[in-house]
Amino acid sequence: MVCLVTGSSRGLGKEAALAFGRRGHQVMVHCLKRADEAEQVASAIHDSATAVADVRDCTSVKKCIDQVIDKWGRIDVLVNNAGVAKESLLIKTSEGEFNTVIDANLKGPFHFIRAAARHMMKQRGGHIINISSYAGLK
């Protein structure tokens, strides 16, 4: 299976990418800024690659999905893990900070699902896993 795990240069995304890799799957390790950390994760997985993309930008996301398709010809699993947390009081949160959270945590998965689903529909199958943080409940 070909897997793309967003936000997989560290934390839970890293562990998910490594778990897929241990099971022999091809893994695209995604990050926004931590390319060196993404490379380290990818180096621990037999058949892997890295992609840098901004989940908030649909063009960047489409290029990321295209990278997966160009490398392996398909995408079987999309794990939407990337996200941002701005933990502060509502009255201290600027509109710009709020927009960043909404763009990354809501629009990001939307962009990835829309781009990946087109390929999954052509393949007649695929899996999409959306991960949320406990911080979202606060």
Side-chain angles (χ1 to χ4, degrees):
M1 276 197 299
V2 175
C3 310
L4 165 62
V5 182
T6 69
S8 50
S9 62
R10 62 191 182 111
L12 185 59
K14 172 184 175 180
E15 295 306 316
L18 293 171
F20 281 117
R22 280 192 298 275
R23 287 165 179 74
H25 303 305
Q26 294 89 3
V27 180
M28 181 65 76
V29 178
H30 163 267
C31 68
L32 173 60
K33 296 178 182 174
R34 294 178 164 88
D36 56 331
E37 292 178 35
E39 288 291 339
Q40 285 181 324
V41 175
S43 71
I45 301 169
H46 173 68
D47 192 0
S48 64
T50 62
V52 176
D54 186 343
V55 301
R56 300 168 297 175
D57 177 55
C58 63
T59 303
S60 183
V61 167
K62 183 181 178 320
K63 287 179 184 176
C64 180
I65 295 293
D66 289 346
Q67 259 187 277
V68 175
I69 301 303
D70 290 346
K71 179 153 181 68
W72 291 295
R74 61 184 299 114
I75 181 166
D76 299 298
V77 178
L78 166 64
V79 179
N80 280 311
N81 170 72
V84 297
K86 302 277 187 187
E87 294 187 35
S88 66
L89 294 174
L90 180 66
I91 59 173
K92 292 185 176 185
T93 302
S94 72
E95 186 174 352
E97 290 171 325
F98 179 76
N99 287 337
T100 296
V101 171
I102 294 299
D103 288 348
N105 298 352
L106 294 179
K107 288 174 72 177
F110 169 77
H111 293 314
F112 269 102
I113 291 168
R114 188 172 58 174
R118 290 186 172 131
H119 296 284
M120 290 177 175
M121 289 170 67
K122 288 178 191 172
Q123 297 165 188
R124 303 179 74 51
H127 305 277
I128 298 171
I129 301 166
N130 296 312
I131 296 176
S132 177
S133 169
Y134 179 74
L137 297 175
K138 292 182 182 180

